Amino acid sequence: MEEETKRRARRRPGTAAVTMADVAQVAGVSAQTVSRVLRDPAGCTPETRERVEAAIRSTRYVQNLAASHLASNRSMTVAAVIPQIAASVFAETLQGLSNVLLQAGYQVIIGHSDYSHEREEDVVRSLLGRRPDAFFLVGTRHTDAVREMLQRAAIPVVETWAWTRKPIDQLVGFSNHEAIAAAVAYVQRRGYARPVFVAAARPGDDRARERLEGYVSGMARHYAGQPARTVVMEDLPYTMGSGRVLLDAARTQFPDSDVLLFSSDLLASGALLACQRQGIAVPRQLAIVGFGDYEVGRELNPGLTTVAVPTVRMGEEAARMLVQRLRGEPVAARRRDLGFELIERGSA
């Protein structure tokens, strides 16, 4: 009987012709059990899950998600809106998010705002039309329309990569402000006398702006009476090449600077490599501090001193909070501060 079911499934044109009943017959379970494995694999025993998954593979069954979603009023998707797809740090956070959501039976739909609040508004509106079960957002500053749309949708939302006292719904992140203030305290303890904050901050890059504010605050706290010197360019792309441009601008504008605090490891790494090409000894002539703990910064020589943030864990914790809400389980805290860590290497 099992072989006959497999042959019948293979003969039928199109994957939709293979039914859940066919899978159940091959697996030796009920159609309800197959449905439960598809809907909540973590809630089934490993033996049952393996039998059903083997039957799905052998029959080449493809679930009719449209019908399933109509019946359950669930799309089993989470919409994620990030500033930039190409940025490795956001990719790491999405990886953590996806790892947990996939285990719970959810898929991730990705949209990107390109650091524009107006574009984020358009992306959120478009994704809401696909009826996701929850939203994941990078950042805590949004237009009023975004907040209203998400609150009206009445679905779980989690914001990340920043900190605020008034999130839309839930928050998993850290304070960019305090992270850079801690970096200022570090360079002051190390004896650097003339720090400069360096950034490529596009108009919608709120996290870079928060780091700038943290630098100004840190300077007032640890370098009292000294002006907060900054080099901030809005029209540069987030590339290592921009780090070289910013290095040249900082040394032209502040030739006596002895340490540069960059808003991103990508920029700091580009600047460090440019120093080597220009014969500038790091850190003896000029120290460099980054932000993010990117892989490239760890591999440079000297290694990049930086502020490390929990990129993967942010995604994992956000996913766990969303899954708990979607399952109707209690969430211990709606706001979770994961903190940061200053990593001392050879560049400062």
Side-chain angles (χ1 to χ4, degrees):
M1 179 65 72
E2 179 178 327
E3 289 302 318
E4 174 59 28
T5 302
K6 292 180 182 178
R7 283 195 297 272
R8 189 167 67 248
R10 284 195 292 267
R11 282 199 305 268
R12 291 172 179 165
T15 56
V18 181
T19 68
M20 195 175 291
D22 293 332
V23 176
Q25 187 172 4
V26 171
V29 298
S30 67
Q32 289 83 356
T33 298
V34 175
S35 177
R36 189 163 60 250
V37 170
L38 290 169
R39 185 177 64 255
D40 183 20
C44 304
T45 66
E47 180 185 1
T48 299
R49 189 167 62 246
E50 289 171 9
R51 289 171 63 183
V52 170
E53 289 173 350
I56 289 172
R57 288 193 297 270
S58 67
T59 60
R60 297 177 176 82
Y61 172 71
V62 176
Q63 187 181 11
N64 185 342
L65 292 176
S68 176
H69 297 165
L70 284 172
S72 65
N73 199 29
R74 287 281 185 91
S75 68
M76 302 305 293
T77 61
V78 171
V81 183
I82 62 176
Q84 198 174 48
I85 292 175
S88 64
V89 287
F90 298 131
E92 290 173 1
T93 302
L94 282 178
Q95 186 69 55
L97 178 80
S98 182
N99 287 345
V100 174
L101 289 178
L102 282 173
Q103 292 178 6
Y106 289 86
Q107 297 286 340
V108 179
I109 306 173
I110 301 172
H112 71 99
S113 65
D114 199 28
Y115 292 97
S116 164
H117 289 152
E118 291 72 23
R119 177 162 176 169
E120 181 188 60
E121 187 176 311
D122 292 338
V123 170
V124 168
R125 183 178 290 107
S126 174
L127 290 174
L128 277 171
R130 300 176 185 276
R131 298 298 186 266
D133 295 327
F135 256 87
F136 169 93
L137 302 174
V138 167
T140 57
R141 301 187 188 186
H142 317 281
T143 65
D144 290 341
V146 165
R147 289 181 168 272
E148 290 169 5
M149 283 189 290
L150 292 174
Q151 288 167 350
R152 194 163 54 243
I155 57 177
V157 176
V158 62
E159 295 165 280
T160 62
W161 269 93
W163 195 252
T164 179
R165 293 182 179 181
K166 295 182 178 180
I168 295 173
D169 182 20
Q170 301 172 114
L171 175 63
V172 178
F174 62 94
S175 171
N176 287 280
H177 184 287
E178 292 303 318
I180 283 293
V184 174
Y186 167 79
V187 298
Q188 191 273 336
R189 290 195 305 271
R190 294 283 293 172
Y192 295 105
R194 296 172 297 280
V196 178
F197 178 79
V198 186
R202 296 169 68 175
D205 189 350
D206 301 317
R207 273 113 8 237
R209 300 290 173 184
E210 290 164 9
R211 292 166 200 167
L212 171 59
E213 294 164 5
Y215 166 76
V216 172
S217 175
M219 287 295 295
R221 194 182 312 168
H222 301 289
Y223 290 85
Q226 184 170 323
R229 306 194 298 180
T230 66
V231 174
V232 179
M233 296 186 179
E234 295 187 348
D235 56 350
L236 288 177
Y238 286 104
T239 64
M240 292 180 69
S242 293
R244 175 187 53 76
V245 174
L246 288 164
L247 169 71
D248 293 343
R251 286 177 60 76
T252 298
Q253 190 171 345
F254 304 108
D256 64 339
S257 58
D258 57 0
V259 58
L260 304 182
L261 292 92
F262 281 82
S263 63
S264 163
D265 268 11
L266 196 65
L267 302 172
S269 297
L272 198 156
L273 290 172
C275 283
Q276 293 175 345
R277 288 194 297 270
Q278 296 175 28
I280 302 169
V282 176
R284 184 171 56 82
Q285 289 179 266
L286 180 67
I288 294 177
V289 177
F291 191 102
D293 194 24
Y294 291 22
E295 182 180 8
V296 63
R298 300 172 213 152
E299 299 302 323
L300 295 175
N301 185 22
L304 185 64
T305 295
T306 188
V307 178
V309 296
T311 54
V312 176
R313 188 180 166 209
M314 259 187 294
E316 293 172 342
E317 290 294 318
R320 292 188 186 103
M321 291 175 74
L322 291 175
V323 170
Q324 285 179 305
R325 289 282 300 285
L326 291 168
R327 289 176 173 171
E329 300 171 358
V331 177
R334 291 292 183 94
R335 296 193 303 162
R336 298 183 187 176
D337 186 348
L338 302 185
F340 53 86
E341 179 184 5
L342 200 143
I343 306 294
E344 183 178 353
R345 299 193 180 102
S347 70

